[in-house]
């Protein structure tokens, strides 16, 4: 339990001085969270059924944003770097608005949107927690008050929480006009999104015989994303000549400008344009200002030529991209008047119009998507958009808040949204943030059109300066870190420490003498979204593809820094102090800056910023190539944002590695890495999680993690390349070993993975089917046991139905060769659990299932509802059978009854 911040009298001026309440851990530089400890909060803490987090009390700056009101209605743009509390402000503001609506007795439509599915569900959880917490508070303050139970409030009364994919799919169905998706394509897209885990996708591909590496689509169009575009680029787009543009730049130009800009919509001039023609022509693309597309004319012509080839290949191979979908939606929306949109709500369309819209990570949305968002709001001045243009989360989107303000000004009544900024960083202290700010300054100076201007992030506490480790070799670095005389010493890293390198190639090239367990090394890409106490940034400049282009930093002089800090955006925040020193340094040759020749540094600076801001406490930078690192090292030293240490100096600041952590620290960190094990960093996080559990002495959890890791590694094996008999036998043996490992974990979450491994052996189909069914049953049972609010019978989820379907298909396959009644019943049971009533009917009609009265009676028992079967996955089918909702299956059973004389 914490107490309020301390106010102390300053004898010199008689004013009260506020000290922020900080963690008492001497190595932490973060604030404590405060909670209002009233009777309602105590009740929640004591109520074991409420699995929720208590809403904490926001700070004064956040409180102002949460309750901000302008004199005239305006939308709000909230800009802040990572770690400044943007999402917190959004959730609190959304709840405050919702509560105000309910007190007024109105029920306007609120909606939350983001590209990130995990973030979407987390925001929804936080919002729902606030609802439950508020009800407890009302009960405690006034037991007689009538406050509707949050869990009983209907979905129609609650805000919508959607990813942009869900939103676009729903709009495609409800808007007037020609739909973009066929029913088959829409179902396939929804199923694919619901079954995002690679296990289920792998099983689908394996059972249907699809080649997951093929670029050609089948069974309706498929979505083209950056990874598929990369395959096209390597095979057909780049061609034989070396392009002056890389694949990422071309993808950005297509997605953000040619197909995603507001100009590409041709608003007011689209009556005779099809959705496919509503993109920028070459002349329109060339006419874009330099603040929009940052390519010169020659590069734009080259990019457009590649775009035209891409469009042709995309259509020929049965693909669409998100730009095609958004343009279709925008075309239909632009033909609607405000009255038309209002009329949709009276026709049973609950999705639109929206009264109040909240968007997080808005930098991942294109201009055309934002236009559609505003069009479908009753009041375009009631949007709340939060984001950060320094975060390159979405591949291909070039976003600036200034462009968004212009959209509102030109297309929605001439009212620009208010721009609010968060600059207090709650993740890192001032020492780390000053170094990061120096990197951002270079982005502003050299690539000012690529991100919006914000004042430097402010740390709530001072902390140690980042450290440049003045070394000439890897061996010398090891000795500095470990303090050992042994050249082969292994540096033991703590639970919250990591080495970050520039790329996967750099990671693989680390020399043996580096002395750090490879599992404690991550690439910049892998480290995105993670936090560490201590970060060692190793050979970032030495391994950078920019090589000696870093010399352009010498163009940024003290006069430029003065101009930056005199800028109204920076000066208005109160941040006016900067340091510039003139130590005796070995200079590098000057290199004049050219924006077209040095574009690679825009990406490199953003990567450097990402790497630095992963640290909460300490940043160490070590380079073995002094020539390549010298330009940036000199810059950092002149800015006085780093300390430099060598073997002759004091090494106490770098001896944090090998610090002792508690068992609880190791265990918690292991769970942290398990939770973050996804995407590009999945395997790295799994290895780290296993190491942490090992350090914690949790052998069971370690084995589970290692089994999961083994599974992810065999997923990536290309079985087509296993041409020799010995290779095939070795791979099959490995599959059996991993299956055994996964089953020994005794975790339902690994059961489907074990079944998939067994499936890939192409042996034991019956056992594989039973494992699929067991996984579906256990998942179903776990879900209904954890949620006592569910009304029986409970229908299996789409995920559970998938696995009943897999089991049914495999039982049917085995039954064809075996012919036993037992397997036929197994197949029937899984088909009806999966809701595949027609397939179950076909099985009965084939005559393979029921051959005598005894068999019929056993089959019929699977169709009759009873108290004993209410918790069974077949319960929904039994109810449907009783209510005659599966006509074809009922007729098949009647025919079977007649055939056996029943």
């Amino acid at each position: 339990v914490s107490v309020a911040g301390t106010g102390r009298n300053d004898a010199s001026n008689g004013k009260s001085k506020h000290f922020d309440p900080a963690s008492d851990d001497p190595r932490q530089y973060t604030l404590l969270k405060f909670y209002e400890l009233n009777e309602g909060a105590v009740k929640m803490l004591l109520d074991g059924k409420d699995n929720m987090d208590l809403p904490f009390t926001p700070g004064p700056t956040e409180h102002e944003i949460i309750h901000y009101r302008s004199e005239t209605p305006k939308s709000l743009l909230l800009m802040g770097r990572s770690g400044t509390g943007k999402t917190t402000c959004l959730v609190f503001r959304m709840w405050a608005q919702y509560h105000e609506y309910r007190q007024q007795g109105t029920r306007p439509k609120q909606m939350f949107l983001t590209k990130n599915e995990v973030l979407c569900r987390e925001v929804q959880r936080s919002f729902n927690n606030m609802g439950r917490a508020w009800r407890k508070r009302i009960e405690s303050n006034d037991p007689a008050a009538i406050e509707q139970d949050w869990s009983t409030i209907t979905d129609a009364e609650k805000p919508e929480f959607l990813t942009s994919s869900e939103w676009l799919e729903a709009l495609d169905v409800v808007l007037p006009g020609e739909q973009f998706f066929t029913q088959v394509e829409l179902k396939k897209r929804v199923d694919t999104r619901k079954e995002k885990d690679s296990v289920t996708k792998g099983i689908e591909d394996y059972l249907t015989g699809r080649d997951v590496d093929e670029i050609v689509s089948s069974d309706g169009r498929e979505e083209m994303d950056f990874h598929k575009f990369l395959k096209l680029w390597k095979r057909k787009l780049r061609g034989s000549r070396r392009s002056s543009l890389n694949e990422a730049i071309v993808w950005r130009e297509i997605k953000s400008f040619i197909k995603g800009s507001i100009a590409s919509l041709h608003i007011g001039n689209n009556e005779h344009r099809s959705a496919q023609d509503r993109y920028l022509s070459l002349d329109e693309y060339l006419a874009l200002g330099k603040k929009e597309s940052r390519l010169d004319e020659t590069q734009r012509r080259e990019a457009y030529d590649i775009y035209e080839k891409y469009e042709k290949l995309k259509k020929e191979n049965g693909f669409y991209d998100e730009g095609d979908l958004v343009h279709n939606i925008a075309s239909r929306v632009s033909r609607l008047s405000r009255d038309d949109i209002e009329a949709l709500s009276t026709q049973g369309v609950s999705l639109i119009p929206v009264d109040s819209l909240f968007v997080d990570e808005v930098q991942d949305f294109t201009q055309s998507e934002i236009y559609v968002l505003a069009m479908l709001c009753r009041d375009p001045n009631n949007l709340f958009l939060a984001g950060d243009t320094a975060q390159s989360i979405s591949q291909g989107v070039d976003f600036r808040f200034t462009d968004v303000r212009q959209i509102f000004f030109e297309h929605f009544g001439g009212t620009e949204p208010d721009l609010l900024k968060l600059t207090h960083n709650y993740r890192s202290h001032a020492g780390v943030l000053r170094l990061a700010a120096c990197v951002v300054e270079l982005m502003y100076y050299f690539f000012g059109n690529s991100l919006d201007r914000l004042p430097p992030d402010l740390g709530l506490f001072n902390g140690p300066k980042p450290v440049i480790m003045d070394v000439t070799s890897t061996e010398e670095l090891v000795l500095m870190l470990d303090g050992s005389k042994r050249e082969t010493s292994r540096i033991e890293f703590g639970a919250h420490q990591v080495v970050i390198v520039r790329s996967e190639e750099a990671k693989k090239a680390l020399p043996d003498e580096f002395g750090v367990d490879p599992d404690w090394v991550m690439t910049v890409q892998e480290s995105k979204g993670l936090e560490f106490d201590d970060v060692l940034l190793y050979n970032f400049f030495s391994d950078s593809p920019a090589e000696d282009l870093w010399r352009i930093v010498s163009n940024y002089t003290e006069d430029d820094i003065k101009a930056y800090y005199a800028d109204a955006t920076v000066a208005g925040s109160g941040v006016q102090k900067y340091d510039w020193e003139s130590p005796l340094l070995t200079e590098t040759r000057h290199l004049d800056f050219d924006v077209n020749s040095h574009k690679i540094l825009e990406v490199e600076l953003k990567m450097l910023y990402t790497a630095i801001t992963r640290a909460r406490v300490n940043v160490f930078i070590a380079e073995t190539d002094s020539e390549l690192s010298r330009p940036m090292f000199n810059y950092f030293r002149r800015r006085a944002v780093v300390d430099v240490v060598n073997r002759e100096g004091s090494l106490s600041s770098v001896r944090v590695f090998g610090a002792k952590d508690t068992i609880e620290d190791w265990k918690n960190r292991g769970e942290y890495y398990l939770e973050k094990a996804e995407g590009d960093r999945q395997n790295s996080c799994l290895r780290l999680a296993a190491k942490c559990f090992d350090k914690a002495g949790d052998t069971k959890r370690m084995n589970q993690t290692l089994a999961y890791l083994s599974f992810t590694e065999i997923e990536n094996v290309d079985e087509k390349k296993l041409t020799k008999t010995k290779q095939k036998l070795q791979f099959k043996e490995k599959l059996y070993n991993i299956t055994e490992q996964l089953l020994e974990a005794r975790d339902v979450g690994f059961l489907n993975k074990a079944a998939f491994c067994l499936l890939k052996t192409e042996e034991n189909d019956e056992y594989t089917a039973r494992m699929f069914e067991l996984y579906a049953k256990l998942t179903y049972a776990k879900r209904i046991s954890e949620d006592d609010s569910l009304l029986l019978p409970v229908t299996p989820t789409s995920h559970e139905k998938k696995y009943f379907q897999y089991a049914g298909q495999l039982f049917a396959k085995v039954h064809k060769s075996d012919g036993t009644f037992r397997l036929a019943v197994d197949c029937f049971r899984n088909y009806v659990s999966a809701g595949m009533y027609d397939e179950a009917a076909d099985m009965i009609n084939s005559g393979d299932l029921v051959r005598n009265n005894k068999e019929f009676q056993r089959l019929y028992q699977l169709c009759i509802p009873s108290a004993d079967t209410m918790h069974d996955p077949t319960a929904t089918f039994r109810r449907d059978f009783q209510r005659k909702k599966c006509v074809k299956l009922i007729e098949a059973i009647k025919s079977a009854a007649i055939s056996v004389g029943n």
Side-chain angles (χ1 to χ4, degrees):
V1 179
S2 177
V3 295
T6 306
R8 301 180 183 178
N9 290 327
D10 188 330
S12 63
N13 56 21
K15 292 182 178 179
S16 177
K17 189 173 182 181
H18 176 73
F19 290 83
D20 290 298
S23 167
D24 60 359
D25 185 338
R27 292 193 68 251
Q28 296 297 321
Y29 299 85
T30 53
L31 284 176
L32 293 175
K33 283 185 178 179
F34 277 74
Y35 301 87
E36 184 181 347
L37 195 60
N38 53 33
E39 291 183 23
V42 173
K43 185 175 176 64
M44 282 189 291
L45 291 170
L46 296 176
D47 189 350
K49 283 190 176 181
D50 280 324
N51 181 22
M52 68 178 87
D53 298 325
L54 284 170
F56 63 89
T57 304
T61 303
E62 290 75 21
H63 186 273
E64 184 179 340
I65 290 173
I66 292 164
H67 300 284
Y68 179 87
R69 291 180 188 271
S70 57
E71 293 182 2
T72 58
K74 290 183 179 180
S75 289
L76 293 182
L77 307 180
L78 179 61
M79 184 164 56
R81 301 289 178 239
S82 177
T84 54
K86 298 184 299 295
T87 303
T88 298
C89 287
L90 182 148
V91 175
F92 272 86
R93 185 177 175 89
M94 192 174 187
W95 169 253
Q97 190 183 81
Y98 175 84
H99 181 62
E100 182 181 344
Y101 286 152
R102 286 188 61 80
Q103 284 186 320
Q104 295 170 354
T106 57
R107 295 179 180 176
K109 189 70 177 178
Q110 286 179 298
M111 182 180 293
F112 171 83
L113 278 180
T114 185
K115 293 278 182 179
N116 188 317
E117 185 173 346
V118 175
L119 175 62
C120 185
R121 303 312 162 214
E122 278 298 306
V123 169
Q124 184 174 19
R125 184 184 66 83
S126 297
F127 185 90
N128 288 340
N129 280 348
M130 287 183 175
R132 296 187 185 100
W134 184 257
R135 176 173 173 262
K136 297 288 185 184
R137 181 177 178 178
I138 292 293
E139 288 176 350
S140 299
N141 292 339
D142 183 5
I146 300 174
E147 178 74 8
Q148 191 175 1
D149 187 338
W150 178 257
S151 63
T152 65
I153 294 176
T154 65
D155 288 341
E157 297 175 89
K158 294 180 182 179
E160 293 267 11
F161 294 87
L162 300 172
T163 64
S164 65
S165 292
E166 293 168 332
W167 170 66
L168 290 170
E169 290 158 7
L171 289 179
D172 186 43
V173 173
V174 302
L175 287 174
E178 184 180 353
Q179 285 188 220
F180 182 79
F181 293 116
T182 66
Q183 291 300 313
V184 172
E185 289 172 343
L186 184 60
K187 183 179 185 303
K188 180 179 180 180
R189 179 180 164 99
V190 172
D191 288 346
T192 300
R193 191 182 64 253
K194 287 181 177 178
E195 301 295 351
K196 286 188 71 174
D197 65 286
S198 58
V199 183
T200 306
K201 283 184 179 180
I203 295 169
E204 286 278 345
D205 291 332
Y206 201 87
L207 290 176
T208 57
R210 285 204 299 262
D211 181 359
V212 296
D213 289 326
E214 269 300 317
I215 191 66
V216 179
S217 172
S218 60
D219 191 24
R221 296 170 300 168
E222 289 186 2
E223 184 171 6
M224 174 70 67
D225 56 20
F226 180 70
H227 296 292
K228 294 187 179 78
F229 176 81
L230 189 56
K231 290 182 179 180
L232 278 179
W233 177 270
K234 291 177 178 178
R235 297 177 187 180
K236 299 179 180 179
L237 291 177
R238 183 171 53 187
S240 57
R241 65 188 180 88
R242 187 175 181 83
S243 173
S244 62
L245 303 174
N246 65 34
E247 63 277 9
I249 291 175
V250 173
W251 180 247
R252 182 193 69 193
E253 294 296 302
I254 293 172
K255 188 170 182 178
S256 289
F257 303 117
I258 299 174
K259 302 182 76 169
S261 63
I262 194 76
S264 72
L265 296 177
H266 297 100
I267 298 166
N269 185 29
N270 55 30
E271 290 79 4
H272 304 294
R273 291 177 181 266
S274 67
Q276 287 71 29
D277 294 330
R278 298 179 69 215
Y279 308 133
L280 293 185
S281 66
L282 174 59
D283 289 340
E284 290 170 327
Y285 177 48
L286 293 176
L288 289 179
K290 290 184 178 180
K291 287 188 176 182
E292 294 173 278
S293 171
R294 297 186 296 282
L295 302 186
D296 61 27
E297 181 179 339
T298 301
Q299 291 171 321
R300 289 192 199 187
R301 289 184 181 279
E302 183 182 356
Y304 201 87
D305 181 57
I306 296 172
Y307 154 71
E308 290 182 320
K309 293 177 183 176
Y310 158 73
E311 283 293 306
K312 185 173 183 292
L313 288 167
K314 174 169 65 70
K315 291 173 185 176
E316 288 176 351
N317 291 313
F319 281 86
Y320 67 90
D321 60 28
E322 193 174 62
D324 299 326
L325 172 58
V326 173
H327 269 258
N328 174 279
I329 299 292
S331 174
R332 291 151 69 185
V333 168
S334 65
R335 291 180 171 89
L336 298 175
S337 67
R338 285 289 171 189
D339 290 339
D340 293 333
I341 294 173
E342 287 292 338
L344 288 173
S345 63
T346 65
Q347 298 168 14
V349 178
S350 61
L351 187 67
I352 52 176
V354 177
D355 293 285
S356 179
L357 181 67
F358 295 80
V359 181
D360 202 4
E361 294 187 349
V362 68
Q363 73 273 0
D364 297 342
F365 288 73
T366 61
Q367 292 180 14
S368 53
E369 287 176 288
I370 292 171
Y371 171 79
V372 174
L373 280 171
M375 278 293 293
L376 295 178
C377 281
R378 273 198 175 95
D379 183 1
N381 296 314
N382 202 5
L383 278 71
F384 185 91
L385 312 178
D388 172 19
T389 47
Q391 297 184 53
S392 302
I393 295 172
S394 183
Q395 190 76 254
V397 177
D398 194 293
F399 180 98
R400 295 187 312 153
F401 276 88
T402 50
D403 295 333
V404 177
R405 299 183 80 184
Q406 191 67 20
I407 291 171
F408 278 85
F409 181 79
E410 292 181 357
H411 301 283
F412 298 101
T415 303
E416 289 189 3
D418 282 342
L419 182 60
L420 307 179
K421 301 174 182 179
L422 286 170
T423 56
H424 280 91
N425 192 293
Y426 295 96
R427 176 189 297 159
S428 305
H429 59 71
V432 173
L433 295 174
R434 288 189 193 106
L435 178 64
C438 287
V439 176
V440 174
E441 284 179 38
L442 295 178
M443 288 191 231
Y444 287 143
Y445 183 74
F446 293 111
F447 308 101
N449 292 331
S450 69
L451 72 166
D452 295 281
R453 179 155 296 197
L454 267 177
D457 279 4
L458 301 174
L460 294 164
F461 305 99
N462 284 319
K465 284 184 180 181
V467 174
I468 289 177
M469 305 177 72
D470 187 10
V471 296
T472 56
S473 65
T474 303
E475 294 88 341
E476 193 172 335
L477 171 64
V478 171
L479 293 175
M480 286 180 66
L481 290 173
D482 197 50
S484 171
K485 301 287 185 184
R486 296 174 291 116
E487 293 185 2
T488 58
S489 63
R490 171 76 62 182
I491 304 169
E492 291 296 328
F493 270 45
H496 300 271
Q497 298 173 329
V498 74
V499 176
I500 296 180
V501 295
R502 167 63 181 72
S503 63
E504 191 62 38
E505 292 73 21
K507 186 176 177 179
K508 292 175 181 176
L510 285 173
D512 293 337
E513 60 269 23
F514 185 56
V516 176
D517 189 324
D519 292 339
W520 250 264
V521 181
M522 282 189 163
T523 66
V524 177
Q525 184 68 29
E526 289 171 339
S527 73
K528 275 186 176 181
L530 300 179
E531 298 177 6
F532 309 89
D533 283 351
D534 307 315
V535 169
L536 170 59
L537 184 57
Y538 179 71
N539 270 355
F540 181 88
F541 303 107
S542 301
D543 294 323
S544 169
E547 298 179 336
D548 67 345
L549 296 184
W550 290 101
R551 291 186 290 126
I552 62 105
V553 74
S554 63
N555 290 274
Y556 188 52
T557 66
E558 185 178 7
D559 288 339
D560 298 316
I561 297 170
K562 285 180 180 178
Y564 170 76
Y565 278 88
D567 182 272
T569 304
V570 179
S573 69
V575 183
Q576 295 174 310
K577 181 180 180 297
Y578 68 89
D579 291 305
W580 181 267
E581 298 178 354
S582 301
L584 293 174
L585 300 171
T586 303
E587 297 295 341
T588 57
R589 290 181 297 112
H590 179 78
L591 177 64
D592 289 330
F593 175 66
D594 178 73
V595 67
N596 294 318
S597 302
H598 301 150
K599 283 184 181 297
I600 190 172
L601 284 171
E602 180 182 340
V603 175
E604 294 298 296
L605 285 168
K606 287 189 175 183
M607 291 187 72
L608 179 59
Y609 173 82
T610 298
I612 291 169
T613 53
R614 296 312 91 204
R616 288 190 294 249
V617 182
N618 290 301
V619 176
F620 303 97
I621 308 174
E623 298 282 334
T624 54
D625 191 321
S626 59
E627 289 299 317
L628 293 177
S629 59
R630 183 173 292 128
M632 287 298 288
F633 279 10
N634 285 355
Y635 170 65
F636 290 151
R637 293 179 69 178
R638 286 196 173 98
R639 298 302 305 274
V641 293
V642 295
D643 286 330
V644 180
V645 299
N646 51 40
R647 290 189 63 187
E648 284 70 39
S650 172
L651 299 178
S652 60
S653 61
V654 301
R655 293 286 166 76
V656 299
F657 296 99
K660 300 296 182 183
D661 288 295
T662 66
I663 289 176
E664 196 64 23
D665 283 336
W666 285 111
K667 191 169 184 178
N668 290 339
R669 196 62 177 175
E671 296 297 341
Y672 173 81
Y673 285 129
L674 262 186
E675 180 187 343
K676 300 292 184 179
E678 58 184 11
D680 293 332
R681 62 169 177 253
Q682 183 181 51
N683 285 8
S684 294
C685 281
L686 287 174
R687 292 190 187 96
L688 280 170
K691 290 285 174 67
C692 289
F693 289 132
D694 184 31
K695 296 275 189 180
D698 191 339
T699 306
K700 179 181 178 182
R701 201 68 172 137
M702 180 189 71
N703 288 337
Q704 290 175 352
T705 307
L706 288 174
Y708 188 11
L709 177 62
S710 298
F711 173 78
T712 61
E713 289 173 344
I714 64 103
E715 272 190 300
N716 298 320
V717 174
D718 186 354
E719 294 179 57
K720 288 184 177 180
K721 294 181 179 179
L722 305 177
T723 55
K724 297 180 180 179
T725 303
K726 185 177 180 180
Q727 288 177 320
K728 292 179 179 179
L729 289 173
Q730 288 174 338
F731 182 65
K732 188 173 290 188
E733 183 181 1
K734 189 172 184 179
L735 287 170
Y736 279 120
N737 289 336
I738 294 172
T739 302
E740 185 178 0
Q741 274 184 293
L742 291 167
L743 291 175
E744 284 177 353
R746 296 183 179 276
D747 186 320
V748 65
F750 293 137
L751 187 56
N752 63 331
K753 298 172 179 62
F756 184 31
C757 288
L758 197 60
L759 177 68
K760 288 169 76 74
T761 66
E762 298 183 342
E763 300 171 348
N764 304 303
D765 282 343
E766 181 181 345
Y767 289 109
T768 304
R770 299 203 181 283
M771 288 169 68
F772 281 147
E773 182 180 17
L774 180 60
Y775 169 76
K777 280 185 171 182
L778 290 175
T779 304
Y780 174 87
K782 183 174 183 287
R783 180 167 59 89
I784 63 175
S785 67
E786 290 178 349
D787 190 350
D788 54 12
S789 68
L790 294 173
L791 298 177
L792 298 176
V794 178
T795 303
T797 64
S798 60
H799 180 78
E800 292 155 2
K801 285 181 178 179
K802 282 281 186 185
Y803 282 87
F804 284 125
Q805 174 189 334
Y806 302 152
Q809 290 172 336
L810 285 178
F811 278 131
K813 177 184 175 183
V814 179
H815 176 260
K816 281 185 179 180
S817 57
D818 185 287
T820 61
F821 176 70
R822 171 180 58 83
L823 290 170
V825 171
D826 290 335
C827 177
F828 179 84
R829 182 179 63 251
N830 279 278
Y831 275 164
V832 296
S833 296
M836 301 169 65
Y837 298 161
D838 288 352
E839 287 79 357
D842 291 341
M843 190 168 195
I844 295 173
N845 291 331
S846 69
D848 293 334
L849 183 54
V850 179
R851 292 165 295 190
N852 55 57
N853 188 56
K854 183 179 179 181
E855 290 179 350
F856 175 80
Q857 290 298 329
R858 184 174 173 187
L859 170 69
Y860 192 64
Q861 288 303 311
L862 287 172
C863 306
I864 306 302
S866 67
D868 294 337
T869 60
M870 288 299 286
H871 290 82
D872 192 82
T874 61
T876 301
F877 158 67
R878 294 171 191 263
R879 181 194 61 191
D880 290 346
F881 184 83
Q882 186 182 40
R883 296 179 179 178
K884 299 181 180 180
K885 289 187 176 181
C886 41
V887 178
K888 182 177 178 180
L889 182 52
I890 291 172
E891 292 301 319
I893 290 177
K894 285 181 179 178
S895 298
I898 294 171
S899 68
V900 296
N902 193 302

